Amino acid sequence: MSFKISHFSKEKLAELTVFMNTNHGLDNFTAKLLNEKIFDDPDFNTDLTVCSTCNGKLTGFGMAVLRQDGLGFIKLIAVGKDSRERGIGRAIYQVLEERLKIMGCRSIRVYNSNPNYLLPGVDPRYTPALCLFNSLGFRRYGETLNMSVDLKKMKFQTSVNEKKLLKSGVSITRAKLSDGERLISFMQSVFPLWVHEVKKMLSNDIITVFIASKDQEIISFAGYDGNNIGAGWFGPMGTHTAHRGMGIGSLLFRICLKDMKKKYRKAVIPWVEPVCFYSRVSGAEVERLFWLYQKEI
């Protein structure tokens, strides 16, 4: 089977959507989601976005990005089920690695390409992907997981705790456009890795980030629909270290879930570390496991 690797263009987005839903079955794809993952990535590079075709038919897709810190990421790589074991995935990867190397990249990770990422790692149920990355010399250096909350079963009573915090001078509101400048300033100072996602939340038709303020200063935030928009992803969230231990974060989390319930049946909490916190506050359960891979080049 002969195949050709070439640049991927936006005109192929509809075909890629069908291709991904057919061949990447643990995830659901829309053209809007793929457009966000590919063309809306802040580091999108045409040379790092390729596809393979055979007789005009899409047989594979691969995308990489080089972040500002010089770390490269494979954002997504997929091969058609009827085209596997023919070297397509390896060929796509080798093209991306060589181009990343020319750009100065010396280390590549797989999928966890914060701030714009589809998955926080490789789901081990995608066994062909595991085998590919192992054969390419990647080493597994850790794991992470996603949790989920069944929103239709939950009742989120927040008014009592909001009043308690208000007595201590802390108010919680949905961010407004007029809050944008000071919120981004807060993010750049305290949580710089999440600036991109918060900007996305501020740009949604209905703003999807909530803030806690004291003495007119933002001290905490939480939001959703900042990444994988339309898929019901919560986060990120964070509280300034000087104001932790007051229950602000857990309250913001529940306020977000209450707001998400208007739109989604389920909330996904990705890339989780404090598993017990989310379980205690919302009854969240572990939904998916991901393995983390890296390769020095």
Side-chain angles (χ1 to χ4, degrees):
M1 176 185 183
S2 62
F3 57 89
K4 175 184 177 182
I5 295 179
S6 58
H7 289 115
F8 179 81
S9 64
K10 210 165 189 176
E11 290 72 26
K12 294 187 176 77
L13 198 58
E15 183 182 2
L16 179 63
T17 304
V18 175
F19 176 84
M20 293 303 299
N21 282 316
T22 302
N23 298 292
H24 213 270
L26 299 177
D27 297 282
N28 296 314
F29 296 88
T30 64
K32 184 177 180 180
L33 176 62
L34 286 170
N35 186 75
E36 176 198 330
K37 296 301 97 184
I38 300 170
F39 300 104
D40 282 353
D41 190 289
D43 296 310
F44 167 73
N45 187 317
T46 302
D47 289 336
L48 296 176
T49 310
V50 302
C51 63
S52 67
T53 55
C54 178
N55 297 324
K57 178 186 175 183
L58 191 66
T59 58
F61 174 81
M63 179 183 179
V65 291
L66 183 63
R67 295 300 188 211
Q68 290 182 352
D69 56 8
L71 187 61
F73 291 90
I74 300 298
K75 281 198 69 173
L76 189 59
I77 191 165
V79 177
K81 292 177 181 178
D82 57 356
S83 303
R84 292 174 185 168
E85 301 296 331
R86 296 171 183 175
I88 295 175
R90 178 176 296 273
I92 288 174
Y93 172 79
Q94 288 172 339
V95 167
L96 296 176
E97 181 187 285
E98 186 59 33
R99 292 176 180 177
L100 282 168
K101 191 182 296 184
I102 291 171
M103 295 175 184
C105 176
R106 292 295 176 265
S107 184
I108 301 176
R109 292 182 179 176
V110 182
Y111 294 172
N112 53 337
S113 55
N114 185 66
N116 183 317
Y117 63 96
L118 176 70
L119 301 171
V122 181
D123 188 322
R125 291 174 295 175
Y126 284 128
T127 308
L130 294 184
C131 295
L132 173 64
F133 291 120
N134 284 332
S135 71
L136 290 167
F138 280 82
R139 64 175 179 85
R140 180 180 161 195
Y141 69 92
E143 63 183 34
T144 189
L145 53 85
N146 285 1
M147 301 181 76
S148 65
V149 181
D150 186 346
L151 296 175
K152 66 181 184 295
K153 292 182 179 180
M154 302 299 295
K155 294 182 179 179
F156 301 101
Q157 302 297 333
T158 62
S159 58
V160 172
N161 288 330
E162 287 182 69
K163 290 176 182 177
K164 286 182 180 178
L165 280 177
L166 193 57
K167 288 180 180 179
S168 63
V170 177
S171 62
I172 293 179
T173 59
R174 185 190 300 271
K176 302 183 291 292
L177 285 177
S178 57
D179 296 314
E181 186 175 341
R182 67 191 186 108
L183 176 55
I184 296 305
S185 177
F186 170 77
M187 297 302 301
Q188 289 171 335
S189 174
V190 185
F191 301 107
L193 289 177
W194 296 332
V195 170
H196 176 82
E197 289 166 277
V198 169
K199 285 182 177 179
K200 285 286 187 182
M201 296 171 189
L202 287 167
S203 69
N204 289 331
D205 291 339
I206 297 176
I207 292 174
T208 55
V209 58
F210 294 80
I211 55 175
S213 303
K214 185 172 184 179
D215 299 326
Q216 298 185 331
E217 295 290 331
I218 295 175
I219 59 174
S220 184
F221 83 100
Y224 66 95
D225 272 355
N227 188 54
N228 292 347
I229 298 169
W233 278 37
F234 167 80
M237 64 176 284
T239 301
H240 192 290
T241 53
H243 299 280
R244 291 176 185 170
M246 300 173 61
I248 299 172
S250 59
L251 180 56
L252 278 169
F253 172 50
R254 286 185 283 120
I255 287 172
C256 278
L257 293 184
K258 182 167 65 174
D259 200 56
M260 292 179 75
K261 188 174 181 179
K262 301 172 187 176
K263 184 177 180 181
Y264 299 111
R265 295 172 61 86
K266 180 179 78 171
V268 176
I269 312 168
W271 212 331
V272 175
E273 291 186 7
V275 172
C276 295
F277 165 79
Y278 286 115
S279 176
R280 173 175 55 82
V281 174
S282 68
E285 297 180 343
V286 174
E287 182 179 65
R288 293 180 73 175
L289 175 71
F290 301 92
W291 290 355
L292 307 178
Y293 284 92
Q294 182 165 326
K295 178 183 179 181
E296 309 304 319
I297 59 174

